[in-house]
């Protein structure tokens, strides 16, 4: 029946009032991701109905191939998760095919299955994006904000979307990092909401119309859904997965360097302990307190009874 309706509407000249969506996101990862990284991909895919999930990419150096995949699947945004050493996770966000591209380090990952929050939202609903005012202070933060809007803002009329707005995605900038959290919007009557308190939710009482037509106060509260994670910007490239570097975070420290410094610290402690042991051995040898050294001195002593009364 749907095919018949479409054919009749085309012949009659009727056009669909819903505008076509112009944003589609391609989500994929590299080889070596862990189970927690896969759970994050599944959570983002469920939160973004205008996204398309693809299998893993075999290469980590020829990232320009992602532009061809995006063109193949008719996507103009790419989110690529790059796993390193089974521990570190980097996220690439690009506006295909012309760019720009931002590379960020993902930390403090907590998926929906780990958090066990009571909040929930309708699958396919559109979110409200809440950005910190700090994003408007510097040019590179404006670029990151625009890319986040293109990726996480579900356009009206996109595929698998429902005409509901029931959750909020918050993007906060603190300590040079982007903190991302997701909340459910709850609306209850003020009298019932006062009787039932929720310590984790932030609430606001607003005035609105009741179903009977009168004025009533409703309480709007936010309950966290998940996932939550932190992104540290590293570099921003001019084109899509390539081109000159237009911004570089000089304060970023690679996790490999952090681990190497920890190993060097442990090695230094071992070297100090071994040096102290060698010094103690030298002192005992000089004083003749060790059993072996003392035995050799006694064997060469001419005043021993064994030597005198032989």
């Amino acid at each position: 029946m749907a095919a018949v309706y479409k054919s009749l509407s085309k012949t009659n000249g009727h056009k669909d009032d819903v505008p076509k969506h112009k944003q589609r996101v391609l989500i994929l990862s590299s080889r070596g991701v862990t189970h927690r990284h896969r759970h994050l991909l599944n959570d983002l895919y469920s939160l973004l109905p205008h996204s398309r999930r693809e299998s893993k990419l075999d290469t980590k150096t020829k990232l320009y191939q992602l532009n061809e995949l995006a063109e193949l699947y008719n996507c103009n945004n790419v989110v690529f998760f790059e796993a390193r050493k089974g521990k570190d996770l980097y996220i690439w966000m690009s506006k295909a095919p012309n760019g720009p591209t931002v590379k960020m380090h993902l930390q403090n990952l907590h998926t929906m299955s780990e958090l066990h929050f009571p909040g929930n939202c309708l699958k396919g609903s559109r979110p409200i994006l809440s950005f910190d005012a700090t994003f408007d202070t510097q040019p590179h933060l404006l670029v990151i904000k625009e890319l986040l809007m293109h990726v996480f803002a579900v356009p009206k009329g996109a595929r698998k979307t429902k005409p509901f707005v029931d959750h909020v995605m918050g993007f906060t900038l603190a300590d040079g990092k982007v903190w991302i959290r997701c909340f459910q919007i709850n609306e209850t009557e003020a009298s019932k909401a006062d009787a039932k308190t929720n310590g984790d939710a932030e609430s606001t009482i607003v005035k609105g119309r009741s179903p009977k037509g009168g004025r009533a106060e409703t309480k709007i509260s936010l309950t966290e859904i998940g996932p939550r994670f932190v992104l540290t910007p590293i570099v921003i490239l001019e084109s899509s997965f390539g081109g000159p570097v237009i911004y570089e975070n000089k304060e970023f420290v690679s996790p490999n360097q952090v681990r190497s410094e920890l190993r060097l610290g442990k090695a230094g402690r071992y070297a100090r302990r071994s040096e102290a042991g060698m010094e103690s051995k030298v002192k005992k040898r000089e004083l003749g307190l060790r059993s072996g050294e003392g035995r050799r001195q006694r064997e060469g002593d001419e005043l021993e009874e064994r030597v005198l009364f032989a």
Side-chain angles (χ1 to χ4, degrees), residues 180-194:
I180 300 178
R181 301 175 70 179
C182 187
F183 299 90
Q184 177 195 1
I185 303 175
N186 295 325
E187 292 186 8
T188 55
E189 294 183 5
S191 58
K192 295 181 180 180
D194 294 337

Side-chain angles (χ1 to χ4, degrees), residues 42-309:
N42 294 334
D43 295 343
L44 293 180
Y45 180 71
S46 61
L47 287 175
L48 304 177
H50 66 302
S51 62
R52 179 185 178 89
R53 185 170 50 185
E54 183 58 25
S55 59
K56 299 177 181 179
L57 187 69
D58 292 332
T59 180
K60 294 182 181 179
T61 57
K62 302 177 182 179
L63 297 183
Y64 58 86
Q65 297 178 359
L66 294 172
N67 296 324
E68 300 176 2
L69 286 176
E71 184 180 2
L72 180 63
Y73 293 113
N74 194 20
C75 298
N76 51 6
N77 298 285
V78 180
V79 179
F80 177 65
F81 292 88
E82 181 183 0
R84 295 283 184 179
K85 297 184 178 180
K87 302 177 183 178
D88 308 325
L89 184 64
Y90 298 91
I91 180 172
W92 296 74
M93 292 185 184
S94 174
K95 187 69 178 177
N98 299 323
T101 304
V102 59
K103 179 183 179 181
M104 294 180 283
H105 181 219
L106 194 145
Q107 295 174 302
N108 300 337
L109 171 61
H110 300 281
T111 59
M112 290 183 182
S113 58
E114 295 175 355
L115 295 175
H116 298 290
F117 279 130
N120 194 5
C121 65
L122 183 66
K123 187 172 183 180
S125 60
R126 300 171 61 205
I128 297 175
L129 303 186
S130 175
F131 286 92
D132 191 3
T134 317
F135 281 96
D136 300 331
T137 57
Q138 298 182 14
H140 70 279
L141 297 178
L142 288 172
V143 175
I144 295 174
K145 176 182 177 181
E146 194 69 20
L147 284 173
L148 291 174
M149 287 179 60
H150 286 195
V151 170
F152 291 98
V154 180
K156 185 177 181 180
R159 69 183 189 96
K160 299 183 181 179
T161 56
K162 295 180 176 59
F164 300 102
V165 178
D166 59 352
H167 62 285
V168 180
M169 295 194 71
F171 301 88
T172 307
L173 190 67
D175 299 331
K177 303 177 181 179
V178 182
W179 302 69
I180 300 178
R181 301 175 70 179
C182 187
F183 299 90
Q184 177 195 1
I185 303 175
N186 295 325
E187 292 186 8
T188 55
E189 294 183 5
S191 58
K192 295 181 180 180
D194 294 337
K196 183 179 179 181
T197 58
N198 188 0
D200 296 335
E202 299 178 358
S203 59
T204 304
I205 297 178
V206 296
K207 293 183 179 181
R209 291 189 176 275
S210 64
K212 297 181 180 180
R215 303 288 293 180
E217 291 184 351
T218 59
K219 184 176 181 181
I220 299 178
S221 60
L222 298 179
T223 306
E224 187 166 2
I225 304 172
R228 59 163 69 166
F229 51 92
V230 181
L231 300 177
T232 305
I234 303 176
V235 293
I236 299 179
L237 306 179
E238 185 176 359
S239 60
S240 181
F241 296 103
V245 177
I246 60 178
Y247 170 76
E248 183 178 0
N249 188 5
K250 301 295 185 179
E251 299 178 356
F252 174 74
V253 180
S254 174
N256 291 329
Q257 184 177 354
V258 174
R259 287 191 291 265
S260 65
E261 291 178 356
L262 292 176
R263 287 194 297 267
L264 289 177
K266 293 180 180 179
R269 290 196 297 268
Y270 173 74
R272 288 191 294 269
R273 287 198 304 267
S274 61
E275 289 178 1
M278 290 298 295
E279 290 178 359
S280 64
K281 288 180 181 180
V282 170
K283 289 181 180 179
K284 289 181 180 180
R285 186 181 299 111
E286 292 176 354
L287 297 174
L289 299 178
R290 295 191 64 184
S291 59
E293 298 292 336
R295 187 180 301 112
R296 284 195 291 269
Q297 289 181 2
R298 287 195 298 271
E299 290 176 355
D301 194 0
E302 297 178 356
L303 299 178
E304 285 187 357
E305 295 181 357
R306 182 172 55 85
V307 177
L308 291 175
F309 301 100

